[in-house]
């Protein structure tokens, strides 16, 4: 289809009594058995006839010997008491040692129990420690995985951007190649008619490309767009002041096909072979329902 218009997109502990029993402190003992005193040593009683101790002369009461005897008896009594008391105190030292040993053993047991308690770890605490250790070990792994995922996403984004750029560049190259071919074919036809070749002009090219994009985007095919603007209205918006004519076409596969169709239409042929034109802009938009082609000629 072609159309031409001429000018006009997250303790148990040991016994704490220190060797006591019943709360009574240890370290001291006392003999509880009665001390036996020889019968001759009892006051007011003479020695018995069967006495087997040292022979002592019997004296009348009140004599000096009796007095000496009494004094000796007193000494014997004191010695007997001393002999009786001394053995009773020996166990005290042993008892002290035993009690001190018991106390030391209890203290050692307490210390050992305390030491054991200091290193024992309850099961729940050990579980928490294990969980914390696992978390500490897992944190760097999670961070590394997150970094890897972020890097992968970044690479994917870069790849997508690169792909989009490549596609856009390819499309631009395709458009440029198609537009250059159209210009070459038009100039070939003009040469046959004795007209000077047309040169491409940037503002005319932008105007023609915007027309092809607009027709593809809004689905119309006419020199007057849906807003009611004519080619000269659109040219003014692009700063083009020397627009002479416009050709449009849709559905032709390549440059050769569209130029051939234009040349077989009287109105389009007239624009191509107008020897007064000096500049040309060509626009093409490929896509479903297209391609859409536009030629804008300038004086």
């Amino acid at each position: 289809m072609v159309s031409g218009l001429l000018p006009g997109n997250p303790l148990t502990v040991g016994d704490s009594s220190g060797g006591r029993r019943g709360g009574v402190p240890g370290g001291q003992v006392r003999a509880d058995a009665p001390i036996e005193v020889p019968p001759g040593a009892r006051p007011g009683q003479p020695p018995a006839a069967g006495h087997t101790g040292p022979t002592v002369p019997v004296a009348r009461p009140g004599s000096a010997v009796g007095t000496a005897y009494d004094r000796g008896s007193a000494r014997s009594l004191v010695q007997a008491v001393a002999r009786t008391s001394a053995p009773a105190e020996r166990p005290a030292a042993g008892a002290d040692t035993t009690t001190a040993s018991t106390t030391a053993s209890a203290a050692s047991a307490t210390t050992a129990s305390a030491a054991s308690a200091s290193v024992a770890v309850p099961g729940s605490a050990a579980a928490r420690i294990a969980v914390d250790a696992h978390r500490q070990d897992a944190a760097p792994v999670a961070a590394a995985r997150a970094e890897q995922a972020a890097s992968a996403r970044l690479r994917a984004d870069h790849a997508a951007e690169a792909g989009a750029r490549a596609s856009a560049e390819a499309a631009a190259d395709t458009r440029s190649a198609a537009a250059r071919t159209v210009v070459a074919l038009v100039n070939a036809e003009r040469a046959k008619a004795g007209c000077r070749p047309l040169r491409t002009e940037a503002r005319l090219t932008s105007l023609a490309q915007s027309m092809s994009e607009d027709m593809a985007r809004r689905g119309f095919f006419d020199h007057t767009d849906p807003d009611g603007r004519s080619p000269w209205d659109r040219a003014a918006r692009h700063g083009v002041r020397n627009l002479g004519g416009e050709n449009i076409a849709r559905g032709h596969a390549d440059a050769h096909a569209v130029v051939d169709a234009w040349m077989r239409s009287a109105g389009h042929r007239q624009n191509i072979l107008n020897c007064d034109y000096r500049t040309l802009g060509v626009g093409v938009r490929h896509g479903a329902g297209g391609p859409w082609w536009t030629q804008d000629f300038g004086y």
Side-chain angles (χ1 to χ4, degrees):
M1 181 182 298
V2 297
S3 178
L5 185 62
L6 297 176
N9 190 183
L11 167 67
T12 297
V13 294
D15 182 8
S16 62
S17 65
R20 304 173 191 174
R21 296 197 179 190
V24 178
Q28 292 181 345
V29 294
R30 180 174 299 173
D32 293 330
I35 301 173
E36 294 188 6
V37 180
R42 296 177 184 175
Q45 293 185 1
H51 180 64
T52 59
T55 301
V56 178
V58 178
R60 294 184 181 91
S63 65
V65 176
T67 301
Y69 173 77
D70 290 339
R71 291 177 180 174
S73 298
R75 286 195 297 270
S76 299
L77 179 60
V78 172
Q79 294 172 0
V81 171
R83 286 195 301 267
T84 306
S85 300
E89 293 179 356
R90 292 192 188 95
D96 290 344
T97 303
T98 303
T99 303
S101 176
T102 303
T103 304
S105 299
S108 298
T110 302
T111 304
S113 299
S116 298
S118 67
V119 299
V121 179
S124 59
R128 287 195 298 271
I129 292 173
V131 170
D132 291 342
H134 175 71
R135 288 176 179 172
Q136 292 175 359
D137 293 340
V141 176
R145 290 178 178 174
E147 185 177 357
Q148 291 174 356
S151 298
R153 287 194 299 270
L154 186 60
R155 288 193 299 270
D157 291 343
H158 287 170
E161 291 176 1
R165 285 195 301 268
S167 298
E169 291 172 358
D173 290 343
T174 300
R175 289 196 303 268
S176 297
R180 287 194 299 269
T181 302
V182 168
V183 173
L185 293 174
V186 165
N187 283 333
E189 294 294 336
R190 287 174 65 86
K192 294 176 185 178
C195 299
R196 71 183 66 183
L198 300 176
R199 57 183 178 84
T200 59
E201 202 273 327
R203 286 182 296 182
L204 284 174
T205 300
S206 176
L207 176 63
Q209 184 64 36
S210 67
M211 179 60 174
S212 294
E213 298 284 349
D214 195 24
M215 289 190 293
R217 183 175 62 254
R218 296 203 281 178
F220 71 95
F221 183 74
D222 197 293
H223 290 284
T224 302
D225 63 29
D227 298 326
R229 290 190 291 260
S230 70
W232 286 269
D233 295 330
R234 296 191 296 271
R237 293 169 64 92
H238 282 77
V240 176
R241 303 182 186 280
N242 60 339
L243 179 65
E246 180 180 80
N247 289 342
I248 59 176
R250 184 185 68 183
H252 304 281
D254 54 39
H256 291 85
V258 70
V259 170
D260 182 66
W262 279 329
M263 288 298 293
R264 287 184 286 105
S265 169
H268 302 89
R269 180 184 177 94
Q270 184 177 349
N271 277 336
I272 290 173
L273 298 180
N274 187 333
C275 291
D276 293 334
Y277 294 154
R278 300 290 183 267
T279 56
L280 175 64
V282 178
V284 58
R285 171 66 159 84
H286 294 85
W292 289 265
W293 303 86
T294 302
Q295 284 180 322
D296 281 325
F297 300 89
Y299 292 108

